[in-house]
Amino acid sequence: MEIINFLFSTTTGITILFFGGMVLFVIIALVAERKTHKMYYNHPEEKEDEDEWEWDDDDDDEDDDDK
């Protein structure tokens, strides 16, 4: 019971909980990344179709001349 009072009622205890939680999440993220990397290691990268996402600004130039 004394450890719970220390962790939740003192500034030092709350700091320990905060940084301990950050370390825990970093460890979980690294483990998950390694498992995912092993699972999908040889999939080729998909090439995005650049023409699909580009805006065609050439048509807008003709409209500006009318002003």
Side-chain angles (χ1 to χ4, degrees):
M1 191 69 175
E2 188 175 321
I3 189 80
I4 292 175
N5 286 335
F6 169 73
L7 288 175
F8 291 103
S9 63
T10 63
T11 306
T12 307
I14 292 173
T15 305
I16 291 171
L17 286 173
F18 179 76
F19 286 109
M22 287 179 60
V23 169
L24 179 67
F25 278 105
V26 167
I27 291 171
I28 291 170
L30 290 173
V31 169
E33 175 65 28
R34 286 185 180 218
K35 285 185 177 183
T36 305
H37 185 71
K38 286 180 183 178
M39 200 179 296
Y40 301 108
Y41 66 96
N42 66 354
H43 290 239
E45 292 184 19
E46 294 182 11
K47 183 177 178 182
E48 292 185 21
D49 187 13
E50 295 177 9
D51 295 332
E52 183 179 331
W53 299 106
E54 288 182 5
W55 292 97
D56 189 15
D57 292 334
D58 294 339
D59 294 337
D60 294 337
D61 293 340
E62 294 172 6
D63 295 337
D64 293 340
D65 293 338
D66 295 335
K67 290 182 181 178

